[in-house]
Amino acid sequence: QVQVEESGGGLVQAGGSLRLSCVASGTAFSVNDMGWYRPAPGKQRDLVATIRNTGTTNYADSVKGRFTISRDNAQNTVYLQMNSLKPEDTAVYYCNVIARRTWEVRTGSYWGQGTQVTVSS
């Protein structure tokens, strides 16, 4: 099993910044894509940002120019730097890791428990 754990959430005023971190741990696995998601109307988890193991990134339109996703492949860690936060960014942010166990052919999708981000106006 691959464990995923997020950290870094909290309460911040509008216009402020937060940095989320997510670590994937376990034995005998390799990580492909990593990303951040949050709930949206009609969706349990909506894409915020993803990053491939090549470094290619993808962002939701609502966070482009404000959020930056990055990763440390050696540490199986992904970060989300959130600047110019708005009250509508308030949500539980979930980390997702696409990984393959060494003895398996297909990849699996692993989720963390989520970290709360609250932006006050």
Side-chain angles (χ1 to χ4, degrees):
Q1 184 73 322
V2 177
Q3 290 80 41
V4 177
E5 183 172 3
E6 306 99 335
S7 61
L11 173 63
V12 64
Q13 288 188 328
S17 298
L18 280 175
R19 188 192 195 208
L20 305 183
S21 300
C22 168
V23 178
S25 62
T27 58
F29 71 99
S30 60
V31 176
N32 292 358
D33 298 354
M34 307 181 84
W36 293 93
Y37 293 75
R38 65 189 183 189
K43 293 185 178 181
Q44 188 174 14
R45 291 170 185 172
D46 197 22
L47 180 146
V48 175
T50 60
I51 184 167
R52 311 201 71 175
N53 55 6
T54 58
T56 301
T57 58
N58 183 39
Y59 295 92
D61 288 342
S62 60
V63 307
K64 282 180 181 177
R66 300 188 299 122
F67 290 11
T68 302
I69 190 169
S70 60
R71 64 188 284 172
D72 181 339
N73 290 333
Q75 301 294 325
N76 289 326
T77 300
V78 62
Y79 305 97
L80 186 68
Q81 178 66 45
M82 305 185 294
N83 298 329
S84 303
L85 282 161
K86 305 175 181 180
E88 51 263 43
D89 294 318
T90 295
V92 177
Y93 284 71
Y94 296 93
C95 179
N96 176 252
V97 173
I98 306 299
R100 185 179 66 83
R101 307 301 298 277
T102 302
W103 59 86
E104 295 177 346
V105 175
R106 291 191 284 184
T107 57
S109 178
Y110 302 91
W111 293 91
Q113 294 297 308
T115 185
Q116 177 71 47
V117 171
T118 302
V119 184
S120 63
S121 56

